Amino acid sequence: MINIPKGTKDVLPQDSYKWQYVEGVARDVAKLFNLKEIRTPVFEHTELFQRGVGDTTDIVTKEMYTFKDKGDRSMTLKPEGTAGAVRSFIENGMHSGVLPVKMYYITPAFRYERPQAGRLREFHQFGVELFGAKSAQTDAEAILLADSLLKKLGLNVKLYVNSIGCPTCRAAYNKALKAFFEPHLDELCYDCKTRFEKNPLRLLDCKEEACKKINAAAPSILDYLCEDCHAHFEEVKSCLELAGVGYEIDPRIVRGLDYYTRTVFEFVSTSIGAQGTVCAGGRYDGLIEELGGNSIPAVGFAAGIERLLIVMEQTGVEIPAPEVPTVYVAGMNAACRRKAFELASALREKGVIAEIDHMDRSVKAQFKYADKLGAKYVAVIGDSELEEGAMNAKCMATGESERVTFENAVEYFLGK
Ligand code: ATP
Ligand code: MG
């Protein structure tokens, strides 16, 4: 017996409707904002993520599924969706075409993490990328799209926003951060000591309790924003107010990824504890150029579909039940089953969900099975029905039966 790899999950046939529901709502919301879907490969050249995600990030240093293919090339399973989308945007010349380009993706993502609730090694993301616009309204639109999705899914989550400025303001801020953390170096975790040297901003992102305590008193990036970044952030906030989206400012949000500039945001659910961030994103004006494209600004986010589902389940959000068969056509014997088969084919051709017996069950057992499937009607064909060319259609909800000729079956069940 071979088991499923640690940190991965099957989506079983009886549960997949939940996924389809969340994905369907995501697609609907993306459509409202006029986004088109992009699909990129599940694996890419490792270098794409090293450069695109950043080689000081946890993702690149610890979490990537990297392997050599048979041609001795280093490949990596995508740990997130943005790098591939940007690669494709550049490679297909979209960066020199008409802007903005607004796209979304639904993709598996792979990270070698310690599996726990809401933290898997294969998970799924719905993500959005808005390429080409630097305006604060575009940031607000990305946030609004995420907010609409979460509201449509019935989630009660909190939005936290921050600005981490541009390379100019960050230089001054990094200096201030280093001065602040220097006396605490001994108390910081191992990773934070490296962060201190390589990317002080990331110190604020640490999840260790000891580091978090120290972080609480760190200087705020918001006091270091240059005039342009400050104005941009003010405009983002005012757009959110225009749209009636509530938010809180959290100067501790820096995001794990290297390519973020200015606006960063997270939607957090209080109902699932440590893994409460269901959606996160921000602006990354430097990434497209970093990956070899023109200097083009961008903003986006990704939502973890598993985490959305966990929160929905924990807060009792009702997911619409999947469709059930309209009719189950039962057959008494071989000849009757042939008729049931023929009728079911005709019904399906016209769009009626029809089911028949596949297991040579008795009529009684077929009835029981049809009930278990939730079929709205059960029609039984016996020898006399076959002879007469008509059958009784029993409505399972009311228990009432009506005579339906084989000829009229499609007409009868259409729209039931
Ligand atoms: P975290 O701080 O929880 O590790 P992250 O900053 O690594 O999150 P992102 O890279 O921003 O996460 O990914 C966007 C979203 O994808 C997260 O907000 C979360 O909902 C989801 N996500 C990230 N990693 C995992 C994982 N290992 N398992 C399930 N969902 C995940
Ligand atoms: Mg992570």
Side-chain angles (χ1 to χ4, degrees):
M1 167 73 202
I2 299 167
N3 295 318
I4 195 169
K6 192 173 166 190
T8 66
K9 281 211 162 106
D10 296 315
V11 178
L12 302 176
Q14 65 267 28
D15 293 326
S16 53
Y17 74 96
K18 299 176 189 168
W19 291 75
Q20 290 170 350
Y21 175 72
V22 171
E23 290 169 8
V25 173
R27 287 181 197 281
D28 288 348
V29 173
K31 192 156 83 184
L32 284 177
F33 285 76
N34 193 31
L35 273 58
K36 302 283 189 298
E37 184 184 6
I38 184 166
R39 300 187 188 195
T40 63
V42 160
F43 62 92
E44 297 267 3
H45 293 286
T46 301
E47 193 192 347
L48 176 71
F49 302 116
Q50 285 167 340
R51 272 170 52 192
V53 178
D55 42 23
T56 65
T57 56
D58 283 356
I59 293 180
V60 171
T61 54
K62 305 183 210 162
E63 299 173 358
M64 294 209 302
Y65 275 91
T66 297
F67 60 97
K68 281 267 173 75
D69 73 4
K70 292 193 195 301
D72 209 32
R73 299 172 203 91
S74 180
M75 295 292 173
T76 295
L77 301 183
K78 54 160 91 164
E80 51 91 59
T82 299
V86 171
R87 190 231 358 101
S88 174
F89 173 75
I90 300 167
E91 194 166 356
N92 291 289
M94 289 181 259
H95 67 147
S96 22
V98 181
L99 298 170
V101 172
K102 303 178 15 166
M103 54 174 83
Y104 74 94
Y105 56 80
I106 295 176
T107 184
F110 305 86
R111 298 185 192 176
Y112 195 81
E113 302 208 62
R114 196 165 62 78
Q116 53 199 292
R119 198 174 287 288
L120 295 157
R121 290 185 174 171
E122 182 188 26
F123 60 100
H124 297 79
Q125 290 185 332
F126 164 70
V128 159
E129 315 290 356
L130 310 175
F131 294 127
K134 61 179 193 304
S135 110
Q137 283 192 12
T138 314
D139 303 48
E141 185 163 302
I143 296 174
L144 227 66
L145 199 163
D147 184 71
S148 310
L149 169 69
L150 298 168
K151 283 192 177 130
K152 286 215 164 95
L153 291 176
L155 295 185
N156 190 7
V157 288
K158 245 180 140 159
L159 165 63
Y160 296 94
V161 295
N162 189 26
S163 172
I164 54 169
C166 61
T168 315
C169 14
R170 207 128 14 112
Y173 182 58
N174 276 341
K175 229 188 218 168
L177 271 185
K178 284 188 103 158
F180 170 81
F181 280 107
E182 182 112 59
H184 299 287
L185 261 183
D186 290 346
E187 305 153 59
L188 296 176
C189 73
Y190 176 81
D191 284 344
C192 277
K193 290 193 176 95
T194 319
R195 293 177 181 129
F196 179 84
E197 295 302 334
K198 290 199 171 153
N199 193 344
L201 198 63
R202 193 72 48 64
L203 286 161
L204 300 177
D205 210 21
C206 187
K207 290 178 181 89
E208 297 290 328
E209 279 310 318
C211 300
K212 271 176 146 173
K213 239 184 213 155
I214 299 167
N215 290 347
S220 163
I221 175 83
L222 295 175
D223 296 329
Y224 291 80
L225 294 185
C226 66
E227 214 173 295
D228 284 353
C229 287
H230 176 76
H232 193 270
F233 191 42
E234 288 305 305
E235 183 60 17
V236 171
K237 291 189 284 181
S238 119
C239 288
L240 292 178
E241 280 150 31
L242 270 180
V245 174
Y247 65 87
E248 210 168 284
I249 293 169
D250 181 354
R252 294 282 168 279
I253 300 181
V254 293
R255 307 291 308 120
L257 311 180
D258 267 350
Y259 47 66
Y260 284 99
T261 50
R262 294 192 165 169
T263 315
V264 287
F265 59 92
E266 289 186 353
F267 286 88
V268 183
S269 157
T270 43
S271 67
I272 59 171
Q275 266 63 255
T277 308
V278 290
C279 174
R283 176 166 280 287
Y284 42 94
D285 289 348
L287 181 63
I288 295 169
E289 200 173 9
E290 171 67 31
L291 291 177
N294 300 334
S295 169
I296 285 173
V299 56
F301 69 80
I305 298 181
E306 285 80 1
R307 288 197 197 172
L308 292 174
L309 284 165
I310 292 175
V311 179
M312 287 166 77
E313 191 150 303
Q314 289 190 348
T315 52
V317 173
E318 292 262 354
I319 296 179
E323 275 194 80
V324 292
T326 303
V327 55
Y328 184 106
V329 192
M332 195 92 80
N333 53 37
C336 299
R337 281 205 180 85
R338 285 180 66 86
K339 190 67 203 174
F341 179 88
E342 186 191 338
L343 274 179
S345 313
L347 285 162
R348 291 168 185 152
E349 205 167 298
K350 296 292 178 210
V352 177
I353 308 178
E355 184 58 290
I356 53 171
D357 174 49
H358 293 273
M359 308 300 292
D360 280 342
R361 291 188 168 98
S362 69
V363 165
K364 197 175 158 204
Q366 287 184 56
F367 241 101
K368 224 171 132 184
Y369 177 63
D371 195 37
K372 198 171 157 205
L373 291 180
K376 294 178 193 162
Y377 290 83
V378 179
V380 183
I381 304 176
D383 283 332
S384 57
E385 279 78 12
L386 210 51
E387 206 164 292
E388 229 182 281
M391 58 193 176
N392 281 335
K394 181 176 178 187
C395 172
M396 300 298 273
T398 62
E400 277 164 28
S401 288
E402 269 188 289
R403 200 73 179 159
V404 181
T405 63
F406 295 160
E407 249 164 40
N408 282 337
V410 169
E411 201 184 327
Y412 181 82
F413 288 112
L414 251 183
K416 285 274 199 244

